[in-house]
Amino acid sequence: MERTTMDLWVGIFAALGAAAILGLAMKVGNLTSSSIGETYTVTAAFENVGSLKPKAPVKSAGVVVGRVDKIQFDPKTYEALVTLKVDKRYPFPKDTFASIYTAGLLGEQYIGLEAGGDESNLKNGDKIKHTQDAVVLEKMISQFLYNKASDTKPSESTDTK
Amino acid sequence: MFDRIGKALSGTGHRIIDRIWRFGSAARMFVYVLLSSADSFKRIRIVTKEIYSTGVLSLVIILVSAFFVGMVLALQGYNTLQKYGSSEAIGVLVALALVRELGPVVTALLFAGRAGTAITAEIGLMKTTEQLSAMEMMAVSPISRVIAPRFWAGVISMPILAALFSMVGILGGYLVAVPIIGVDSGAFWSQMQANVDFRDDIVNGIIKSVVFGVACSMIALFEGYDAPPTAEGVSRATTRTVVNSSLAVLGLDFILTSFMIHT
């Protein structure tokens, strides 16, 4: 084989490889969509984060506005301290409400932000004061069963007559 | 009785020592290849020639199998996912399976069969016909002139082939999922983009394929270099290349995956 054609083929091969990696990054991966750009960091304390994980989305009105950066345990207050990175383009008022929701019945958990009415906005390093914990299914079921049991006990006497 | 047991034990021991000895000499050869690879980058032409014969000539088999693997993944995945009413997740399934595992692993297995055997047979025959000794006589190091360029060609080709495998596989999956089965095209791509992470999935896949490239080319080169200089020896060495490369790839894949997956 001629040397120049061989070089040409190797060049095409390398270009195809670069195109494939670029295609994987852009079309398949989240390099284009997840790069939130400039962010500011806020923290929020929850009594229970459920199965929230780092990198989980932070949504407001269903739109992704940021990501969970890290989740730590605060040994003083015995609460989970969640650090959120929110896109700089979306300022939120100081009395924003942060709650942990589940996407679908068994889906992954995310943080929902509901804007309050305060005049001033959250700044870098601020703490969100109003939070709502994750719903723990076992707790809910046991509470439901407990309520059910306490409901039916007095009515038992009426049932038997 | 005891005599026979003793013989069997010493046979096993001999085999184990032989394996370890071969592994050690392969490791020494690896270090030697790394040390003398500066020469082969000075004469980049030799490396391009080897990239042509290991990489470019493997393109057809890699791309065709990628296409079929992607199509089968989409069909099988759809069959199971639609039972749970989540057939839109087919894009995620195909992309993650290909980018994380099948792309690097199947590429490495095909590479071992297509290019690894060729390298072993070539080196083995060079040794049999005493071309390597002739080079040494002329004070040309066969490691830096013959082995190192082939090693680097394999290491460079493998990630490129694996990336192409993943991309073509995803296109094959798309072709089955969207026009044939009728999954929504937008859902296919958007779910994929939401769940495939660049750093955690794509870069890790590339890292895997680089490691497999090192392992496969090193095994092929060592088996060729170590082959007994007979026709039978070369044929045995070629078989060993395929067996050892496949086992090494699958074993390394488990080790790498266990390092990469963190929940």
Side-chain angles (χ1 to χ4, degrees):
Chain A
M1 175 151 303
E2 195 94 356
R3 184 142 256 188
T4 45
T5 45
M6 199 179 275
D7 284 356
L8 180 69
W9 272 108
V10 173
I12 292 170
F13 178 63
L16 273 178
I21 291 172
L22 206 72
L24 283 175
M26 294 300 169
K27 190 82 183 160
V28 178
N30 55 0
L31 204 61
T32 45
S33 53
S34 87
S35 51
I36 315 176
E38 296 265 304
T39 57
Y40 61 97
T41 313
V42 289
T43 56
F46 293 91
E47 269 179 29
N48 191 335
V49 290
S51 60
L52 190 76
K53 287 193 184 73
K55 280 188 162 180
V58 176
K59 293 183 183 178
S60 187
V63 181
V64 177
V65 295
R67 300 237 165 236
V68 172
D69 190 38
K70 58 186 172 196
I71 301 169
Q72 289 160 305
F73 182 68
D74 186 349
K76 288 203 187 81
T77 57
Y78 302 108
E79 283 178 327
L81 206 59
V82 179
T83 313
L84 312 175
K85 281 205 157 141
V86 186
D87 197 316
K88 269 236 167 82
R89 288 174 297 170
Y90 310 120
F92 281 91
K94 270 217 150 70
D95 56 348
T96 294
F97 205 92
S99 23
I100 299 178
Y101 294 117
T102 310
L105 196 58
L106 301 164
E108 59 168 353
Q109 290 189 305
Y110 64 95
I111 288 191
L113 295 179
E114 278 137 61
D118 204 310
E119 294 282 304
S120 52
N121 287 332
L122 284 169
K123 288 192 299 291
N124 197 24
D126 275 1
K127 192 170 178 183
I128 296 175
K129 289 183 195 76
H130 310 287
T131 60
Q132 191 194 335
D133 299 334
V135 174
V136 179
L137 213 57
E138 290 95 320
K139 246 186 200 170
M140 244 170 65
I141 290 170
S142 67
Q143 209 160 27
F144 174 76
L145 289 177
Y146 184 77
N147 287 347
K148 195 93 178 166
S150 57
D151 278 354
T152 47
K153 255 191 190 142
S155 63
E156 253 177 6
S157 53
T158 56
D159 274 348
T160 47
K161 281 189 183 166
Chain B
M1 182 65 190
F2 282 113
D3 210 35
R4 206 175 284 169
I5 293 174
K7 247 182 200 164
L9 277 177
S10 68
T12 321
H14 177 75
R15 239 170 273 151
I16 291 171
I17 289 169
D18 189 53
R19 288 279 152 77
I20 293 172
W21 190 84
R22 279 172 58 82
F23 191 77
S25 50
R28 264 166 49 202
M29 185 175 154
F30 178 58
V31 173
Y32 199 42
V33 166
L34 287 185
L35 287 179
S36 53
S37 52
D39 279 349
S40 62
F41 277 108
K42 264 185 230 155
R43 284 170 296 179
I44 198 79
R45 268 290 161 77
I46 311 173
V47 183
T48 32
K49 182 172 165 283
E50 296 306 327
I51 291 180
Y52 179 81
S53 59
T54 53
V56 178
L57 294 182
S58 308
L59 264 181
V60 176
I61 184 176
I62 296 281
L63 296 188
V64 171
S65 17
F67 200 65
F68 284 115
V69 165
M71 291 204 288
V72 169
L73 263 181
L75 270 180
Q76 291 280 12
Y78 177 75
N79 198 20
T80 307
L81 281 174
Q82 59 134 342
K83 285 180 193 158
Y84 302 96
S86 50
S87 51
E88 288 79 29
I90 185 90
V92 186
L93 179 110
V94 172
L96 281 185
L98 279 166
V99 169
R100 280 187 183 170
E101 290 297 332
L102 290 176
V105 171
V106 178
T107 306
L109 294 179
L110 290 172
F111 184 88
R114 165 68 183 73
T117 49
I119 291 172
T120 306
E122 194 184 6
I123 307 277
L125 212 65
M126 275 182 166
K127 195 186 173 193
T128 313
T129 51
E130 295 184 328
Q131 293 181 43
L132 297 182
S133 323
M135 270 184 188
E136 266 170 15
M137 293 280 276
M138 292 186 285
V140 176
S141 160
I143 296 278
S144 65
R145 178 64 181 78
V146 175
I147 307 287
R150 283 168 176 74
F151 173 75
W152 284 108
V155 174
I156 293 167
S157 300
M158 188 74 93
I160 298 178
L161 289 172
L164 281 168
F165 189 100
S166 303
M167 201 62 228
V168 172
I170 289 165
L171 291 179
Y174 177 85
L175 209 68
V176 167
V178 177
I180 297 177
I181 295 176
V183 175
D184 181 54
S185 166
F188 185 87
W189 290 113
S190 69
Q191 290 237 356
M192 194 188 287
Q193 281 175 0
N195 286 291
V196 179
D197 188 66
F198 180 71
R199 173 64 195 82
D200 279 352
D201 299 319
I202 296 172
V203 172
N204 276 353
I206 295 172
I207 291 172
K208 270 187 186 177
S209 62
V210 172
V211 174
F212 296 161
V214 171
C216 281
S217 3
M218 205 55 229
I219 288 170
L221 289 167
F222 176 73
E223 292 295 354
Y225 201 70
D226 191 53
T230 57
E232 197 196 357
V234 174
S235 88
R236 280 216 180 139
T238 315
T239 312
R240 269 210 302 269
T241 296
V242 176
V243 173
N244 289 352
S245 301
S246 310
L247 289 178
V249 164
L250 296 172
L252 279 173
D253 183 46
F254 172 70
I255 294 169
L256 287 173
T257 307
S258 61
F259 275 119
M260 285 166 179
I261 282 190
H262 39 79
T263 45

